[in-house]
Amino acid sequence: MRLQSYPKLGIVFSCTSTLMPTPLAHFHTYNCSSIVAHPPMLIQTQINPPLKIPTFSHKSIQTNTLKDICLRGNLKEAFQSLTVAFNDHPDETYGAVLDLCAHKKALCQGLQVHAHVIKSCSVPESVFLGTKLAFMYGKCGSVEDAEKVFDKMGQRSIFTWNAMIGAYVSNGKPFEVLETYKEMRVLGVSLDAYSFPSLLKASGLLKNLYLGAEIHGLAVKFGYDSIVCVVNSLVAMYAKCDDLCGARRLFGRMVQKDDVVSWNSIISAYSSSGKSREALELFREMQKAGLDSNTYTIVASLQACEDYSFRKLGKEIHAAVLKSAQLLDAHVAGALVAMYVRCCKMSEAVRTFNELDEKDKVVWNSMLTGFIQNGMYSEALHFFHDFRNAGEKPDQVTVISILLACGRLGYLLTGMELHAYAIKNGFDLDLQVGNTLIDMYAKCCCVNYMGYAFNRIPNKDLISWTTVIAGYAQNNYGLKAFELFQEVQLVGIDVDPMMIGSVLIACSELVCVSQVKEIHGYIIRRGLSDIVLQNMVIDVYGECGNIDYAVRTFELIKFKDVVSWTSMISAYVHNGLANEALELFHILMKTNIHPDSIALKCALSAASSLSALKYGKEIHSFIIRQHFSLEGSIASSLVDMYSRCGMVESAHKIFKSVESKDLVLWTSMITAYGMHGYGKVAIDLFNKMKENLTPDHIAFLSVLYACSHSGLIDEGRRLFHIMKCEYQLEPWPEHYACLVDLLGRANCLEEAYEFVKSMQMAPTAEIWCALLRACQVHSNQELGEIAAQKLLELNPENPGHYVLISNVFAAEGRCKDAEKIRTRMKEKGLKKSPGCSWIEVGNRIHTFMARDKSHPECYQITKKLDQITQKLENEGGYVPRTKFVLHNVEENEKVKMLYEHSERLAIAYGLLKNAEGTPIRITKNLRVCGDCHTFCKLVSKLFRRELVVRDANRFHHFEDGICSCGDFW
């Protein structure tokens, strides 16, 4: 009876409330049944004193419920409240906290809640809690834990299946989604509207259009195809399966297009498929329809601005974002920066970045990537210092970007520091980081560490193998590159054209034609023969000296591009077939393919090697007409061409016309002056260059060469010392050979020999050759014997060395020793390069060999030469010096041999064909002998013609009986 007098008391103790304030927490240990079972206890508590129930406002209770705490997103407060919450309804209690853990991706806290749930109640019996746990684990990236919960559940609802499918999709496991879907079909589980987005996303990830179409059919069958979220997922699926037409048809069939998500789906579909213009047109349509854009719309539209041509549209979107401040969040900011990066507008990207109040790591990395993609490697490193100063910690993306910059700049130490950081943080085992480390070490020429980085990668992919093979090939480890190529085939990785290209570079370095043929055959068998590889095959055959195979490969290319033509022209030039190179260049000019700067440089190189001034001028005119920039390599090639054609003044005009002169151009001009005997001018130019640029090995080699050919001994010694001591450049064998040649020409043979003996490296054949030539000129038999012996020991397969030694012995009157050397040469199957001279007349290069009778105008040439010789004898007192004929023959035969040297035939033809008063320009493949040098001086005087003769070493300008070399060559 007393119970009835407290009707309100039962309401207060009702279990409908899930959370009570802390002062009443002890009341929750009783439920309604316990009150009924123990009425005396209840009565006793109410007698003395009577129970005073505190009253709470409705607002106070609402703000302190666990559900509201979870909605506010306060995970710590939710955990504290969880310990005092009612356990009468665990589904509702734990469900809210598990949702919060999923939202925060708080796996650690989620595991604690799971443990709390297991202690408090039976999870397998609660379908609701099991589903919530599977959902939480999926969102937190712990798929294995989600699977364990799912597998232990005795009963599952469609929500459980959806949670598991969603876990697989969000963690990039589309195959597992497919298996789960099959299981659902077998068990007869009916799909609901929320099943389709996950299934369709998995189909898109797999690019399985057949599966996507099947699920589309089910959506139609169950009547879900009109639900907006399903339609949006269908659009995205068709786009990812490369069926944009299907995606567009679905979008077009939508009756109401007032959902911004639908527009976002179709815009993203076109944007991610590279259909930028279509994506931006859809964005315009959406604006015209009066729909407000959200963050996803802006990001998708900015992603559609893929290159420089979209910069204006990108700025318009940026302006719209600035007008609506609510759209400018971290995602949009990152997309804006990325858009400016793609549009090559780094100044705008930097300005946008600096205006951001909050910068997340994605935005920082976007900026770093932008600097790298735009070739601003130094700026990337400076920006990286700002990144570190801002307290940001580099992740894999950051490390990859900076490693790329270090590789391009050759900053090995910085790259090694990053490598250490990557090892410390476990990044070096990441595939992309590992591949970038290989590339960085390869570009810094650090092959040992490159191999270490490669071996550290646990699961190497095609890029890993390709990068390391390219690294070895580019650092002249051709054999190692070839070995790795054989190994990669045993591993079972499919070889791609890029890897083949690297192996071809290795073959080029090894100069092994058999390996090139092997790789060429492999390319054909595997069907990898694209235009890029075919062009590379031409290059490598040319570099390995097999010009016939290069020509056949070139002829088999059906649709040749400019690289094909350039590769073939380069192959001709490399193999000394300059005539053929120029002929092919003229054929190219008649096609619809326009030569690029590389093709022009190859053609100029061919004209240079032939001293074909007319051809060189034609190419120069083409360069001007086509508005090619006269900066960089084109300018250097023109300077080289004019100087090798004997026109050093024209070379200097080109040099002066270039505003921004690089080291190569300066070096080319110094070489030109040295070649023409202007040693002091070359030194002055070198000193002027040093004011703004740091000379390298080649620049010093050029100026030493100039000193050698002008007899500037003291200057040569001084420059050699400066190179070693001031610039810390370790001399190459070529530098030593230059100084030996300089000392030898000045008859300082003992000093030259002592210099050779004091070298820190072993003297090369080139150095002994320079000393032997000097011994020949100055008749030093003792040193000549030593040099000859060393020369044959170092390079016994060079026919030129045998000829030189034989000539030295013959000049000393040691005919038997000379004959022995020639016999050894014949036994080895070596042949001397015959003397050859050529002259440009009209539109042709005319070539003459010694005692040549093959020219169509042979009779007229011989007759003209006889007339020239007779005039020189009668008016110039010319007497042939037969000591320069180093053959053991009769005196009259020696005279006859002198008269028929190749340069004399070329001079006779020039006087026969060239207009009166025009210079005669001749090129010879060997050094001009002393008698021919006298012959040329007399011709220039008696016939009043300038003769410009380029021999194997330098230029001789003959005018009025005087040579520019001062008889020093």
Side-chain angles (χ1 to χ4, degrees):
M1 291 295 296
R2 206 173 274 236
L3 260 172
Q4 293 176 359
S5 63
Y6 298 98
K8 293 182 180 179
L9 192 62
I11 297 171
V12 174
F13 285 93
S14 170
C15 294
T16 57
S17 177
T18 57
L19 187 65
M20 292 289 287
T22 304
L24 297 181
H26 63 281
F27 285 114
H28 286 274
T29 58
Y30 305 102
N31 56 25
C32 294
S33 59
S34 65
I35 293 172
V36 175
H38 303 282
M41 186 184 299
L42 179 63
I43 294 166
Q44 185 66 33
T45 59
Q46 299 296 323
I47 294 172
N48 190 22
L51 180 66
K52 294 181 180 179
I53 302 169
T55 59
F56 302 99
S57 68
H58 180 70
K59 182 178 179 181
S60 173
I61 294 174
Q62 285 295 321
T63 54
N64 288 318
T65 63
L66 181 58
K67 185 175 181 180
D68 285 338
I69 292 169
C70 290
L71 287 173
R72 290 200 301 270
N74 194 324
L75 192 59
K76 184 177 179 180
E77 188 181 348
F79 258 71
Q80 290 173 346
S81 300
L82 182 65
T83 59
V84 297
F86 281 113
N87 285 330
D88 298 34
H89 297 277
D91 287 2
E92 190 172 348
T93 302
Y94 292 116
V97 182
L98 287 170
D99 283 343
L100 182 57
C101 290
H103 178 70
K104 296 281 187 181
K105 291 184 170 35
L107 178 61
C108 183
Q109 289 84 347
L111 286 165
Q112 292 178 42
V113 174
H114 190 176
H116 201 281
V117 169
I118 292 169
K119 288 179 182 178
S120 303
C121 56
S122 178
V123 180
E125 294 176 3
S126 173
V127 177
F128 179 83
L129 279 183
T131 302
K132 287 288 184 182
L133 282 165
F135 176 78
M136 181 273 295
Y137 281 127
K139 287 291 183 182
C140 293
S142 183
V143 178
E144 290 182 3
D145 288 321
E147 287 175 334
K148 287 176 184 177
V149 171
F150 183 80
D151 291 340
K152 287 179 181 179
M153 291 178 67
Q155 292 182 341
R156 301 169 188 140
S157 67
I158 183 59
F159 303 109
T160 313
W161 289 95
N162 288 345
M164 198 63 236
I165 292 170
Y168 284 134
V169 167
S170 60
N171 288 280
K173 293 180 177 291
F175 286 105
E176 286 79 353
V177 173
L178 183 59
E179 293 301 317
T180 308
Y181 167 67
K182 289 178 181 177
E183 189 179 350
M184 290 174 73
R185 297 299 303 274
V186 170
L187 296 174
V189 178
S190 297
L191 304 177
D192 68 1
Y194 298 101
S195 308
F196 289 98
S198 295
L199 292 171
L200 289 167
K201 188 174 181 180
S203 303
L205 290 171
L206 292 169
K207 290 191 176 296
N208 189 334
L209 186 59
Y210 179 81
L211 174 64
E214 179 185 320
I215 295 165
H216 187 180
L218 286 173
V220 173
K221 181 180 178 181
F222 295 144
Y224 296 130
D225 60 320
S226 59
I227 296 175
V228 174
C229 68
V230 176
V231 175
N232 294 341
S233 299
L234 281 166
V235 169
M237 180 275 294
Y238 279 113
K240 286 178 183 174
C241 291
D242 301 322
D243 185 6
L244 278 177
C245 294
R248 190 61 186 265
R249 279 197 301 270
L250 272 172
F251 181 76
R253 288 173 187 167
M254 292 178 67
V255 179
Q256 291 185 335
K257 295 188 180 71
D258 54 358
D259 180 32
V260 70
V261 179
S262 304
W263 285 94
N264 290 347
S265 297
I266 193 66
I267 292 169
S268 296
Y270 275 99
S271 181
S272 59
S273 299
K275 303 284 186 181
S276 300
R277 295 198 179 279
E278 291 84 346
L280 292 169
E281 284 172 7
L282 284 164
F283 176 60
R284 294 277 193 203
E285 286 182 30
M286 176 184 168
Q287 289 179 315
K288 289 176 182 177
L291 288 172
D292 291 330
S293 304
N294 61 16
T295 299
Y296 296 102
T297 320
I298 299 299
V299 169
S301 301
L302 287 170
Q303 286 172 347
C305 301
E306 59 182 1
D307 57 35
Y308 186 76
S309 61
F310 292 93
R311 65 193 184 283
K312 187 177 179 182
L313 289 169
K315 284 187 175 182
E316 289 179 10
I317 297 170
H318 190 179
V321 169
L322 293 175
K323 286 179 182 177
S324 176
Q326 61 185 6
L327 292 175
L328 188 59
D329 63 3
H331 297 292
V332 172
L336 278 168
V337 170
M339 180 272 294
Y340 281 123
V341 164
R342 287 192 303 273
C343 294
C344 306
K345 302 288 287 183
M346 283 307 298
S347 57
E348 297 290 341
V350 170
R351 188 182 299 118
T352 304
F353 176 83
N354 290 334
E355 288 172 355
L356 297 177
D357 294 328
E358 294 184 8
K359 304 174 180 74
D360 62 5
K361 196 170 291 182
V362 175
V363 180
W364 282 96
N365 283 337
S366 294
M367 284 298 299
L368 277 172
T369 305
F371 285 124
I372 300 298
Q373 289 176 351
N374 287 278
M376 302 168 73
Y377 306 117
S378 298
E379 290 83 350
L381 289 179
H382 289 306
F383 189 79
F384 177 64
H385 290 305
D386 295 340
F387 174 87
R388 297 290 285 153
N389 292 334
E392 293 287 344
K393 188 178 179 183
D395 60 6
Q396 286 99 320
V397 178
T398 319
V399 170
I400 288 168
S401 296
I402 302 304
L403 284 173
L404 284 168
C406 292
R408 298 303 187 280
L409 294 170
Y411 287 1
L412 178 61
L413 291 178
T414 308
M416 293 179 81
E417 288 176 11
L418 275 166
H419 190 181
Y421 176 85
I423 293 171
K424 184 179 177 181
N425 290 274
F427 295 159
D428 67 319
L429 300 178
D430 178 83
L431 185 61
Q432 284 185 299
V433 173
N435 291 343
T436 312
L437 279 166
I438 297 168
D439 181 67
M440 183 273 293
Y441 281 123
K443 285 183 170 58
C444 292
C445 306
C446 191
V447 175
N448 291 335
Y449 279 100
M450 180 188 75
Y452 170 79
F454 175 73
N455 293 328
R456 282 273 295 173
I457 299 175
N459 298 307
K460 303 170 183 68
D461 65 356
L462 177 64
I463 296 172
S464 312
W465 288 94
T466 303
T467 309
V468 76
I469 288 170
Y472 280 118
Q474 290 162 7
N475 285 283
N476 300 324
Y477 285 77
L479 194 58
K480 180 67 176 176
F482 207 79
E483 288 172 0
L484 281 172
F485 176 65
Q486 292 173 326
E487 188 179 333
V488 78
Q489 293 176 77
L490 296 174
V491 172
I493 292 177
D494 288 332
V495 176
D496 69 348
M498 191 173 290
M499 185 184 291
I500 295 289
S502 297
V503 177
L504 283 170
I505 293 171
C507 294
S508 174
E509 187 262 323
L510 294 170
V511 194
C512 183
V513 176
S514 60
Q515 286 180 327
V516 181
K517 289 179 179 178
E518 184 181 331
I519 299 299
H520 192 186
Y522 179 87
I523 292 168
I524 294 168
R525 288 195 307 274
R526 295 292 302 274
L528 299 171
S529 192
D530 60 9
I531 187 69
V532 176
L533 279 183
Q534 286 174 315
N535 294 339
M536 287 196 74
V537 167
I538 295 169
D539 269 328
V540 178
Y541 274 132
E543 288 171 15
C544 292
N546 197 324
I547 197 68
D548 292 334
Y549 273 73
V551 171
R552 286 163 66 181
T553 306
F554 176 74
E555 289 173 347
L556 286 171
I557 299 175
K558 191 174 181 181
F559 300 104
K560 300 175 180 67
D561 61 8
V562 68
V563 181
S564 311
W565 290 90
T566 306
S567 298
M568 194 63 241
I569 293 167
S570 176
Y572 277 133
V573 172
H574 183 78
N575 287 275
L577 300 169
N579 265 319
E580 288 80 353
L582 288 176
E583 286 173 11
L584 191 64
F585 180 75
H586 278 286
I587 295 170
L588 167 62
M589 296 287 281
K590 294 174 184 177
T591 66
N592 293 326
I593 298 171
H594 294 287
D596 60 8
S597 60
I598 300 172
L600 291 168
K601 285 191 291 181
C602 289
L604 285 169
S605 178
S608 299
S609 63
L610 290 172
S611 295
L613 181 60
K614 185 175 181 182
Y615 284 121
K617 284 183 174 180
E618 286 178 3
I619 297 165
H620 188 186
S621 299
F622 177 83
I623 289 168
I624 294 169
R625 289 197 307 272
Q626 297 298 318
H627 305 291
F628 278 92
S629 173
L630 282 182
E631 300 285 333
S633 57
I634 287 281
S636 302
S637 297
L638 283 168
V639 167
D640 185 62
M641 182 274 294
Y642 277 117
S643 66
R644 289 180 182 274
C645 290
M647 300 284 289
V648 71
E649 298 86 1
S650 298
H652 188 247
K653 284 180 183 177
I654 298 291
F655 175 77
K656 283 183 67 178
S657 69
V658 178
E659 291 184 10
S660 180
K661 300 175 180 67
D662 60 10
L663 187 60
V664 177
L665 184 60
W666 282 95
T667 305
S668 297
M669 197 63 236
I670 292 166
T671 303
Y673 281 127
M675 190 187 301
H676 287 268
Y678 301 115
K680 291 186 178 179
V681 180
I683 292 171
D684 290 341
L685 196 64
F686 178 80
N687 291 330
K688 190 175 181 181
M689 179 194 75
K690 288 195 301 177
E691 294 173 6
N692 299 308
L693 295 169
T694 303
D696 61 2
H697 282 90
I698 298 171
F700 272 106
L701 187 60
S702 297
V703 74
L704 285 171
Y705 172 90
C707 293
S708 174
H709 285 282
S710 297
L712 303 173
I713 302 171
D714 294 335
E715 290 85 346
R717 289 194 188 105
R718 182 179 61 83
L719 286 163
F720 190 87
H721 178 77
I722 287 171
M723 181 180 73
K724 286 185 70 175
C725 300
E726 288 188 22
Y727 289 92
Q728 305 294 313
L729 294 172
E730 191 61 35
W732 293 346
E734 292 85 353
H735 296 99
Y736 285 109
C738 244
L739 199 59
V740 169
D741 184 60
L742 174 61
L743 294 170
R745 287 170 184 270
N747 201 12
C748 301
L749 292 173
E750 290 299 330
E751 183 184 348
Y753 182 52
E754 290 301 319
F755 178 73
V756 171
K757 289 196 295 183
S758 68
M759 284 173 56
Q760 294 181 353
M761 66 173 70
T764 62
E766 189 179 11
I767 293 165
W768 289 113
C769 192
L771 185 61
L772 181 59
R773 281 201 183 99
C775 291
Q776 179 189 11
V777 173
H778 299 291
S779 304
N780 190 319
Q781 186 173 345
E782 184 182 350
L783 277 181
E785 192 76 42
I786 295 169
Q789 186 62 36
K790 293 287 187 181
L791 195 57
L792 289 179
E793 286 175 7
L794 286 170
N795 197 347
E797 302 300 323
N798 190 322
H801 295 163
Y802 286 93
V803 173
L804 177 60
I805 294 167
S806 173
N807 290 345
V808 170
F809 289 162
E812 294 169 357
R814 300 164 59 185
C815 296
K816 288 185 179 179
D817 291 335
E819 190 60 36
K820 284 180 182 178
I821 293 294
R822 289 184 180 275
T823 303
R824 282 177 62 181
M825 179 179 166
K826 288 177 182 177
E827 287 173 354
K828 286 181 171 288
L830 303 174
K831 290 184 179 181
K832 171 194 172 185
S833 298
C836 177
S837 299
W838 54 91
I839 182 172
E840 184 181 23
V841 175
N843 293 319
R844 284 189 59 197
I845 303 294
H846 297 264
T847 306
F848 299 92
M849 311 290 282
R851 309 178 80 173
D852 193 3
K853 304 292 183 186
S854 62
H855 197 279
E857 299 177 73
C858 174
Y859 175 76
Q860 293 92 326
I861 295 168
T862 306
K863 186 178 177 181
K864 183 66 175 177
L865 183 55
D866 290 341
Q867 292 172 0
I868 296 167
T869 307
Q870 190 174 0
K871 184 170 182 176
L872 297 188
E873 289 173 345
N874 295 337
E875 299 178 25
Y878 168 68
V879 177
R881 290 183 288 172
T882 56
K883 71 172 186 176
F884 291 106
V885 180
L886 303 172
H887 293 274
N888 190 14
V889 294
E890 295 294 331
E891 192 68 17
N892 62 337
E893 186 64 25
K894 288 183 178 181
V895 172
K896 190 177 180 181
M897 291 174 75
L898 277 174
Y899 284 179
E900 293 180 339
H901 274 188
S902 62
E903 59 266 50
R904 301 191 189 202
L905 294 169
I907 289 169
Y909 191 65
L911 287 170
L912 195 66
K913 292 292 182 180
N914 283 1
E916 191 74 27
T918 57
I920 295 172
R921 304 178 189 281
I922 293 161
T923 306
K924 185 175 182 180
N925 66 332
L926 304 176
R927 294 175 70 155
V928 174
C929 75
D931 191 67
C932 288
H933 194 266
T934 302
F935 180 88
C936 291
K937 287 199 292 184
L938 289 170
V939 168
S940 70
K941 182 178 181 180
L942 297 176
F943 287 86
R944 299 186 180 279
R945 298 289 284 273
E946 181 188 354
L947 292 182
V948 181
V949 179
R950 171 185 154 196
D951 68 7
N953 279 358
R954 60 166 299 152
F955 269 89
H956 301 264
H957 292 262
F958 299 96
E959 195 165 5
D960 198 24
I962 299 171
C963 181
S964 61
C965 72
D967 299 336
F968 184 84
W969 81 101

